Amino acid sequence: MGQTAYRTHHATEVTEELIGRKVTLAGWVDRRRDHGGVAFIDLRDSSGLVQIVIYDEEVARPLRSEFVIQVVGEVRARPDGNENDHLATGRIEVVVENLTVLAKADALPFQVSTALENESENRLPGEDVRLRYRYLDLRRPSMQRNLKLRSDMTKAARHALEDMDFTEVETPTFIKSTPEGARDFVVPARLVPGSWYALPQSPQLLKQLLMVGGVERYYQLARCYRDEDFRADRQPEFTQLDMEMSYVGQEDVIAMAEKVIASIWASRGYEVTLPIPRITWQDAMDLYGSDKPDLRFGNPLVELTEYFHDTPFRVFQAPYVGAVVFKGGAATPRRQFDAWQDWARQRGAKGLAYVIFAEDGELKGPVAKNLSQEERDGLREAVHAEPGDAVFFAAGARESSQLLLGAVRVELARRAGLLRPDDFAFTWVVDFPLFKRTDDPDDDDVAVGHSQWTSMHHPFTMPSAEWIDSFDRDPEHAMSDSYDIVCNGEEMGGGSVRIHRDDIQDRVLDVLGIDRAEAQEKFGFLLEAFKYGAPPHAGIALGWDRTVSILAGADSIRDVIAFPKAGGGRDPLTGAPAPISDQQRAETGVDYDPDEDED
Amino acid sequence: MGQTAYRTHHATEVTEELIGRKVTLAGWVDRRRDHGGVAFIDLRDSSGLVQIVIYDEEVARPLRSEFVIQVVGEVRARPDGNENDHLATGRIEVVVENLTVLAKADALPFQVSTALENESENRLPGEDVRLRYRYLDLRRPSMQRNLKLRSDMTKAARHALEDMDFTEVETPTFIKSTPEGARDFVVPARLVPGSWYALPQSPQLLKQLLMVGGVERYYQLARCYRDEDFRADRQPEFTQLDMEMSYVGQEDVIAMAEKVIASIWASRGYEVTLPIPRITWQDAMDLYGSDKPDLRFGNPLVELTEYFHDTPFRVFQAPYVGAVVFKGGAATPRRQFDAWQDWARQRGAKGLAYVIFAEDGELKGPVAKNLSQEERDGLREAVHAEPGDAVFFAAGARESSQLLLGAVRVELARRAGLLRPDDFAFTWVVDFPLFKRTDDPDDDDVAVGHSQWTSMHHPFTMPSAEWIDSFDRDPEHAMSDSYDIVCNGEEMGGGSVRIHRDDIQDRVLDVLGIDRAEAQEKFGFLLEAFKYGAPPHAGIALGWDRTVSILAGADSIRDVIAFPKAGGGRDPLTGAPAPISDQQRAETGVDYDPDEDED
């Protein structure tokens, strides 16, 4: 890693080959042990630890945790029995001849020593304290690893894209408001008082303009901004790996993205088997109750709508009845089934019906007595359960019932320990509907237009070939050429073939209830660009914070972001956001009144 | 470059080896010539041009410039005499069997055809029109080359940094106002009504926090924001290649940056001779009248203060008198010398004194008669001029006089055609003063503190070792460990060793007149971080738009930015900035009144 003004070696470069040599090292006092007047100090730098030994008590006395020191000393073998095989440098130590304190450290608000790394994370303070002292939190080896992992993943993705002749293009942060579903962050423009820039929710329109501009393969690690209400694992600014190609269709984009993903995972030694399997959106909903199914385990949903077609049980006289098997669940105590009811109610469901197939074949549980004999007899076979299993049911509207069962399926797997973070199950979800109803209860986006239909992805998504002529006559069934990439039940990213013709774009806007004047005002520039020969194009974006957190096995995307925001968009470290001065406010022009400025 | 849904080959991949083969191509109609009922079309894609031939008049008739077409056809050799050796594909053509119009094009507001590329740029419309239709402007081969060059340079820089074990870290855009000299752009924070984020003028404090956090080698291609009054070649948002290292001094950073720069230039086949020469800031001012000297040519300034110590000429009885030689200038007509006076006055000078050394040895020009005989006799030798040269003088305050002569020197070289854009003369400017006076007429930054001193670079710059104890007693002479990298008279970037100790930082803030409460409010988090063991660190940033424009030989940084802003920060393409709706405004919280919200 190279010699610098302050060191000849990094800590972990000091190995047995250097025994007898003099080295200069610099780093933090990670931990100190005193023994018979001799100080043994673990010196920590970005490479790891090395033990240094100080015989001079005067020299050693002031040193405390996280002092920054520079030491000159000779490398020697550790005495027999004192080796530490867990360390790269565990067979040597450096006897200090000269020590310089480069910076002192006050007592720390929390310990960051490497020695704590393998102990429980419970010794960490709450996240607000970690973020308040993020520069200390980042010193912890697990955070160092996360930052390094993120950098390595970025490198791997870039190299893959470079190999495929992609051009990296930077698009502006100061743009005009665009209709992507969430609220824009806005910036007052001092030089045009009363006017504002918007920050991009994504570079969607800009990358489409690049395609119109002849950049056939574009990529960018793009910062995006969405002013949404704060939720766990959501940040006001986030990063996406944004890619777009001209003269391509869905298969081209999928093949390209698979190479990128394989390259990223390969940077950590994981081989992704290509091609990545695909599932239609409809199958994902039917089989896994999710548009981002976790395929690390099986246990698909079983639809029983037909099975209960003539049921005497009122609850199951519904547009949809489905079930998911709770393997070995028959042994579960009654109070745990009660807890499942609470779990379901917290998710907005009325409850969670279940039956138990006892080992002796008896059907138990509160639902059992409501079923007809015929239904009881055939049920175990219908749901593919074994004696000793239990089964959860959901009945009602198809989509909400499936989503509930999908959540049950994942929760069962979680409790069974099947969600291993180093087991990666990828899938493409394909064949999405072009539109969805605006009253979709799962949609917390601001509706873009004024109709009962909104875009499943965004308003620039191309209808699939067979729907180009008819999508506006039958929005409910129209399909699009779009695709999501899912890993371990998380949506890593998604994309679509884009509209490149103004006539099709106009018709989509009509379905969305966006009138021409509004469209012209908001993105007339894109519609106009389409009049000058726009190549067919398609693309995809990976949510980069999410993708890194999946490969890192991190609990939160905040653990893979150097300086994330806490709840409400606050930064406990700097105190942002904060009031501005009257002068600053005056300069922004937000209080500009055109009527006062008539001379 | 790979087959896609729309093509088997790119245009320039169709060479003689494919004669007899069937290919599918897609791209724009670049130019069309009709000859005997046959249409010859240059098809343009990102690789270049290929000629396609359409025999069917019905098929060819509708095709106009910039239509997007897909053609299937057989490759054949061009008939004898019709080859075009300027084109990679000049020996073949593709006879179209099947043509699909993928998108039509209206008549263009200006032509983008490759055929115009080598003609005068005067055929281009004004820049506002180019920016209004940027997606067309980008299709022009010179803009395509600029975008590709930028991407290639970024790749080269990244690879060099990766080879030196740098970690790429993304820092946030939503931060707290920091004291870097220019005005911040600010963003209202809806979730904390009345509060604002600031956008970073640079990641300076954040990268220093990363050093405190143990990231020993950081880099980022960082977007920066400064709300300054619009000037030519200044953008409200710009990009810098930002680098920082721990446990290093000035020499380490310079050596690292030289590797990066050499790697960037090597990506275009230029070898940068390392080490890059250095000049002190004082020498740069004395010899070239600039802190960013253009060293593609010589002709240094000559100081004559001592020479004119006893001059009878009142104008030269000044704290500084200097001169620059106008090689062969004696033959210049009088009216051109008058024009030089105007040129100087436009730069704020009173005029530009000069003398002429006629070929016959006679000293002419309006200044000559004011000088003593002795001064006249020795002058040519003193300024190292030859008979037939002229000499321009400046007299007055040292710095402003030197800056004027420096500008004369460059203007002379420009008129002499010495400023070749493909000739790259690098230099480090080193040994900067730590402070400068706040009344510096060249400084248009907002003063940071309330004293007569402001930072030459920024408030986080370390005094050089010999000044650490005394810089606050003698701010006028104190020096810093900072360095600028200059190429062809442009500042490509700069950096410094940073302060890593809170006691030194406190003393620098005192000199700048920033009081403790204000410091605490603005960047108390950095001062606090320094209490927990901050490693010594140093860094550098390259202005990326500028660096690309230098290597591209572009007239303006706007030519190397995909979507730049025009004057006043306007975007002629999207119409940004623009008013926002009342609802949007209400949501931003800028009109929040805490007194109205007491329940």
Side-chain angles (χ1 to χ4, degrees):
Chain A
M1 296 198 258
Q3 183 164 349
T4 69
Y6 286 87
R7 56 161 70 108
T8 56
H9 296 80
H10 270 81
T12 57
E13 289 171 335
V14 185
T15 54
E16 289 171 282
E17 284 136 56
L18 295 180
I19 285 172
R21 290 263 301 276
K22 192 162 288 188
V23 295
T24 305
L25 307 174
W28 278 288
V29 173
D30 188 73
R31 199 164 57 151
R32 151 177 200 164
R33 295 173 304 284
D34 288 84
H35 190 70
V38 180
F40 296 88
I41 288 175
D42 285 341
L43 184 75
R44 186 184 77 240
D45 66 20
S46 63
S47 72
L49 299 179
V50 64
Q51 176 164 293
I52 64 168
V53 186
I54 306 175
Y55 285 96
D56 185 332
E57 288 187 64
E58 284 303 307
V59 168
R61 184 167 299 125
L63 301 182
R64 291 200 305 265
S65 282
E66 302 304 299
F67 268 44
V68 182
I69 59 174
Q70 181 188 40
V71 298
V72 180
E74 193 175 301
V75 183
R76 71 174 185 199
R78 293 199 194 184
D80 277 351
N82 287 334
E83 296 91 345
N84 178 347
D85 287 336
H86 298 299
L87 283 185
T89 59
R91 307 191 75 79
I92 59 88
E93 59 194 9
V94 176
V95 182
V96 173
E97 296 165 18
N98 200 332
L99 183 142
T100 309
V101 173
L102 298 174
K104 297 176 185 177
D106 286 356
L108 299 181
F110 56 94
Q111 295 306 308
V112 302
S113 165
T114 301
L116 303 173
E117 183 66 9
N118 295 321
E119 302 177 20
S120 165
E121 293 275 341
N122 290 337
R123 301 188 59 150
L124 277 180
E127 194 173 20
D128 249 39
V129 177
R130 287 176 56 203
L131 294 180
R132 165 86 177 74
Y133 299 96
R134 188 60 158 183
Y135 45 86
L136 296 178
D137 193 42
L138 290 178
R139 288 186 200 166
R140 296 189 303 112
S142 67
M143 291 302 289
Q144 291 279 313
R145 271 196 304 274
N146 286 352
L147 290 183
K148 187 68 170 46
L149 172 70
R150 185 173 182 130
S151 178
D152 288 346
M153 287 174 66
T154 306
K155 179 165 100 178
R158 287 190 203 282
H159 287 197
L161 289 160
E162 289 164 7
D163 288 346
M164 290 185 277
D165 275 323
F166 276 71
T167 301
E168 181 179 0
V169 182
E170 298 172 59
T171 56
T173 299
F174 290 154
I175 64 162
K176 191 162 172 189
S177 231
T178 52
E180 274 168 289
R183 210 177 275 108
D184 287 323
F185 281 105
V186 289
V187 181
R190 180 177 57 87
L191 297 179
V192 192
S195 289
W196 303 67
Y197 299 107
L199 303 183
Q201 295 184 34
S202 84
Q204 181 62 35
L205 300 195
L206 294 160
K207 71 177 174 175
Q208 292 194 245
L209 289 175
L210 286 176
M211 297 300 112
V212 183
V215 179
E216 289 188 4
R217 297 187 166 202
Y218 143 92
Y219 93 90
Q220 181 182 200
L221 203 70
R223 197 69 60 85
C224 306
Y225 307 87
R226 291 185 193 173
D227 188 8
E228 297 175 303
D229 290 330
F230 200 85
R231 289 203 294 192
D233 250 24
R234 203 178 254 185
Q235 290 281 315
E237 55 180 311
F238 59 95
T239 302
Q240 72 185 32
L241 178 60
D242 195 42
M243 297 158 271
E244 194 82 7
M245 306 165 80
S246 288
Y247 302 109
V248 298
Q250 171 168 320
E251 292 305 320
D252 298 307
V253 176
I254 284 181
M256 178 278 292
E258 290 189 347
K259 283 186 193 157
V260 172
I261 290 165
S263 166
I264 295 166
W265 257 254
S267 75
R268 271 299 173 274
Y270 295 101
E271 188 183 344
V272 178
T273 306
L274 300 185
I276 288 170
R278 303 184 192 185
I279 186 171
T280 66
W281 176 81
Q282 194 61 61
D283 281 352
M285 292 300 295
D286 289 348
L287 294 175
Y288 304 106
S290 172
D291 57 3
K292 43 187 181 185
D294 193 332
L295 300 183
R296 281 176 291 185
F297 58 98
N299 200 24
L301 278 51
V302 181
E303 176 160 1
L304 299 170
T305 316
E306 194 54 40
Y307 186 83
F308 287 117
H309 189 268
D310 301 312
T311 187
F313 184 33
R314 289 274 296 275
V315 174
F316 285 3
Q317 294 166 6
Y320 172 88
V321 186
V324 65
V325 172
F326 178 5
K327 198 76 197 160
T332 302
R334 171 65 187 249
R335 59 182 160 72
Q336 281 197 23
F337 278 111
D338 292 343
W340 275 101
Q341 305 304 311
D342 295 338
W343 177 91
R345 282 187 210 104
Q346 278 169 14
R347 301 184 52 89
K350 286 180 191 154
L352 197 56
Y354 65 95
V355 297
I356 292 166
F357 299 105
E359 294 286 357
D360 62 4
E362 195 188 349
L363 187 67
K364 297 179 179 171
V367 163
K369 63 180 181 300
N370 294 299
L371 306 183
S372 71
Q373 190 59 45
E374 193 186 351
E375 288 165 348
R376 295 164 60 105
D377 290 347
L379 187 59
R380 192 170 66 72
E381 196 165 333
V383 300
H384 316 300
E386 302 290 328
D389 292 345
V391 170
F392 288 112
F393 298 96
R398 169 174 285 268
E399 193 168 315
S400 59
S401 302
Q402 287 180 334
L403 289 171
L404 176 62
L405 290 174
V408 170
R409 173 181 172 269
V410 171
E411 182 62 18
L412 285 168
R414 193 184 68 74
R415 297 185 185 190
L418 298 179
L419 304 185
R420 291 187 46 208
D422 57 348
D423 177 18
F424 301 102
F426 294 92
T427 187
W428 289 103
V429 180
V430 296
D431 294 349
F432 280 87
L434 182 58
F435 303 107
K436 62 183 175 186
R437 293 188 184 276
T438 44
D439 56 5
D440 183 335
D442 297 307
D443 184 16
D444 60 353
D445 285 346
V446 178
V448 168
H450 315 284
S451 91
Q452 62 176 309
W453 299 107
T454 185
S455 297
M456 191 82 174
H457 277 86
H458 55 57
F460 314 105
T461 306
M462 187 70 123
S464 54
E466 61 269 36
W467 284 94
I468 291 226
D469 293 331
S470 58
F471 69 86
D472 35 2
R473 290 195 304 274
D474 186 7
E476 182 166 4
H477 296 106
M479 303 294 284
S480 69
D481 280 349
S482 53
Y483 30 89
D484 280 356
I485 179 71
V486 169
C487 181
N488 293 2
E490 309 242 38
E491 184 190 326
M492 269 172 56
S496 60
V497 177
R498 324 297 186 185
I499 298 169
H500 69 281
R501 279 170 36 193
D502 58 342
D503 57 328
I504 300 175
Q505 187 69 68
D506 278 345
R507 288 166 53 212
V508 166
L509 296 176
D510 283 346
V511 173
L512 298 175
I514 298 177
D515 68 40
R516 297 298 160 100
E518 189 182 349
Q520 195 56 42
E521 163 68 20
K522 283 195 172 168
F523 43 95
F525 57 93
L526 183 71
L527 301 176
E528 185 172 22
F530 287 166
K531 295 189 193 302
Y532 296 108
H537 56 284
I540 189 169
L542 299 183
W544 201 239
D545 307 301
R546 171 73 53 220
T547 300
V548 177
S549 75
I550 291 170
L551 183 47
D555 292 331
S556 154
I557 61 167
R558 291 184 299 281
D559 282 343
V560 298
I561 297 173
F563 299 104
K565 298 291 187 292
R570 290 172 305 103
D571 178 6
L573 171 58
T574 63
I580 55 176
S581 70
D582 291 345
Q583 186 198 343
Q584 268 184 300
R585 182 177 177 108
E587 285 178 343
T588 63
V590 297
D591 298 319
Y592 171 76
D593 180 352
D595 298 332
E596 288 178 9
D597 196 44
E598 288 179 331
D599 53 335
Chain B
M1 297 198 258
Q3 183 164 349
T4 69
Y6 286 87
R7 58 160 69 109
T8 56
H9 297 79
H10 269 82
T12 57
E13 289 171 334
V14 186
T15 54
E16 289 170 282
E17 284 137 56
L18 295 181
I19 286 173
R21 290 262 301 276
K22 193 161 288 188
V23 295
T24 306
L25 306 174
W28 278 288
V29 173
D30 188 74
R31 201 162 58 149
R32 153 179 198 163
R33 294 173 304 284
D34 287 85
H35 190 71
V38 181
F40 297 87
I41 287 175
D42 286 341
L43 184 75
R44 187 184 75 240
D45 66 20
S46 63
S47 73
L49 299 178
V50 65
Q51 177 164 294
I52 63 168
V53 185
I54 306 175
Y55 286 96
D56 184 332
E57 288 186 64
E58 284 303 308
V59 168
R61 183 169 300 125
L63 300 181
R64 290 200 306 265
S65 283
E66 303 303 300
F67 268 44
V68 182
I69 59 174
Q70 182 188 39
V71 298
V72 181
E74 192 174 302
V75 184
R76 73 174 183 197
R78 293 200 193 183
D80 277 351
N82 287 335
E83 297 93 345
N84 178 348
D85 288 336
H86 297 299
L87 283 185
T89 58
R91 308 190 76 78
I92 59 89
E93 58 195 10
V94 176
V95 183
V96 173
E97 295 165 17
N98 200 332
L99 183 143
T100 309
V101 173
L102 298 174
K104 297 177 185 176
D106 286 356
L108 299 182
F110 56 93
Q111 295 306 308
V112 302
S113 165
T114 300
L116 302 174
E117 183 66 9
N118 295 321
E119 303 178 20
S120 165
E121 292 276 339
N122 291 336
R123 300 187 61 148
L124 278 179
E127 195 172 19
D128 249 40
V129 176
R130 288 176 56 204
L131 294 179
R132 165 86 177 74
Y133 299 97
R134 188 61 158 183
Y135 44 86
L136 296 178
D137 193 41
L138 291 178
R139 288 186 200 167
R140 295 189 303 112
S142 68
M143 292 301 291
Q144 291 279 313
R145 272 196 303 274
N146 286 351
L147 291 183
K148 187 68 170 47
L149 172 69
R150 185 173 182 129
S151 179
D152 287 345
M153 288 174 66
T154 306
K155 178 165 102 178
R158 288 189 203 282
H159 286 198
L161 289 160
E162 289 164 6
D163 287 346
M164 291 185 277
D165 275 322
F166 276 70
T167 301
E168 182 178 0
V169 182
E170 297 173 59
T171 57
T173 299
F174 290 154
I175 64 162
K176 191 163 173 190
S177 232
T178 51
E180 273 169 291
R183 210 177 275 109
D184 287 324
F185 281 105
V186 288
V187 182
R190 180 177 57 88
L191 296 178
V192 191
S195 289
W196 303 67
Y197 299 107
L199 303 183
Q201 296 184 32
S202 84
Q204 181 62 35
L205 300 194
L206 294 159
K207 70 177 174 174
Q208 292 193 244
L209 289 175
L210 286 175
M211 297 300 112
V212 183
V215 179
E216 289 188 4
R217 297 186 167 202
Y218 143 91
Y219 92 91
Q220 181 183 201
L221 204 70
R223 197 69 61 86
C224 306
Y225 307 86
R226 292 186 192 173
D227 188 7
E228 297 175 303
D229 290 330
F230 199 85
R231 288 202 295 192
D233 250 24
R234 204 178 253 183
Q235 291 281 314
E237 55 179 309
F238 58 96
T239 302
Q240 72 185 32
L241 178 60
D242 196 41
M243 298 158 270
E244 194 81 7
M245 306 166 80
S246 289
Y247 301 111
V248 297
Q250 171 167 319
E251 292 305 320
D252 297 307
V253 176
I254 285 181
M256 177 279 291
E258 290 189 348
K259 283 186 193 156
V260 173
I261 290 165
S263 164
I264 295 166
W265 257 255
S267 75
R268 270 300 174 275
Y270 294 101
E271 187 183 343
V272 178
T273 306
L274 301 185
I276 288 170
R278 302 183 193 186
I279 186 171
T280 66
W281 176 81
Q282 194 61 61
D283 282 351
M285 292 300 294
D286 289 348
L287 294 175
Y288 304 105
S290 172
D291 57 3
K292 44 187 181 185
D294 192 332
L295 301 183
R296 280 177 291 184
F297 58 98
N299 201 24
L301 278 50
V302 180
E303 176 160 2
L304 300 169
T305 316
E306 194 53 41
Y307 186 83
F308 287 117
H309 188 267
D310 302 312
T311 187
F313 185 33
R314 289 273 295 275
V315 174
F316 284 4
Q317 293 165 7
Y320 172 88
V321 186
V324 66
V325 173
F326 178 5
K327 199 75 197 161
T332 303
R334 172 65 187 249
R335 59 183 161 71
Q336 280 197 24
F337 278 111
D338 292 343
W340 274 101
Q341 304 304 312
D342 295 339
W343 177 90
R345 281 186 211 104
Q346 277 169 15
R347 298 184 55 88
K350 286 180 191 153
L352 199 56
Y354 67 93
V355 297
I356 292 166
F357 299 106
E359 293 287 356
D360 62 6
E362 196 189 347
L363 187 67
K364 295 180 180 171
V367 163
K369 64 179 182 298
N370 295 298
L371 306 183
S372 71
Q373 189 58 44
E374 191 188 352
E375 286 165 349
R376 296 164 59 104
D377 290 345
L379 187 59
R380 193 171 64 73
E381 196 166 333
V383 299
H384 316 300
E386 302 290 329
D389 291 347
V391 170
F392 288 112
F393 299 95
R398 168 173 286 268
E399 193 168 315
S400 57
S401 302
Q402 288 180 334
L403 290 171
L404 176 62
L405 290 173
V408 171
R409 173 182 172 270
V410 171
E411 182 63 17
L412 286 168
R414 192 183 68 74
R415 297 185 185 190
L418 298 178
L419 304 186
R420 291 187 46 208
D422 57 347
D423 176 18
F424 301 102
F426 295 92
T427 187
W428 289 102
V429 179
V430 296
D431 294 350
F432 280 87
L434 182 57
F435 302 108
K436 62 182 174 185
R437 292 187 185 276
T438 43
D439 56 5
D440 183 335
D442 298 306
D443 185 15
D444 61 352
D445 283 347
V446 178
V448 169
H450 315 285
S451 91
Q452 60 175 310
W453 299 108
T454 184
S455 298
M456 191 83 174
H457 278 85
H458 56 56
F460 313 106
T461 305
M462 186 71 121
S464 54
E466 61 269 34
W467 284 94
I468 291 225
D469 293 332
S470 59
F471 69 85
D472 34 4
R473 289 196 303 274
D474 186 7
E476 183 166 3
H477 297 105
M479 304 294 285
S480 70
D481 281 348
S482 54
Y483 30 88
D484 279 358
I485 178 72
V486 169
C487 182
N488 293 2
E490 310 243 36
E491 184 190 325
M492 269 173 56
S496 60
V497 177
R498 325 297 187 185
I499 297 168
H500 70 281
R501 280 169 36 193
D502 58 342
D503 57 329
I504 301 175
Q505 187 69 68
D506 278 344
R507 287 165 54 211
V508 166
L509 296 176
D510 284 346
V511 173
L512 299 175
I514 298 176
D515 67 40
R516 298 299 160 96
E518 189 182 349
Q520 196 55 43
E521 162 68 18
K522 283 194 172 170
F523 42 95
F525 57 94
L526 183 71
L527 300 177
E528 185 173 21
F530 287 167
K531 294 189 194 303
Y532 296 108
H537 55 285
I540 190 168
L542 298 183
W544 200 238
D545 307 301
R546 171 74 53 219
T547 301
V548 177
S549 74
I550 292 170
L551 183 48
D555 292 330
S556 154
I557 60 168
R558 292 185 298 281
D559 282 344
V560 298
I561 297 173
F563 299 105
K565 298 292 186 292
R570 291 173 303 105
D571 178 5
L573 171 59
T574 63
I580 55 175
S581 70
D582 291 344
Q583 185 197 343
Q584 270 184 297
R585 182 177 177 107
E587 286 177 343
T588 64
V590 298
D591 298 319
Y592 171 76
D593 179 353
D595 298 332
E596 288 178 9
D597 197 44
E598 289 179 329
D599 53 333

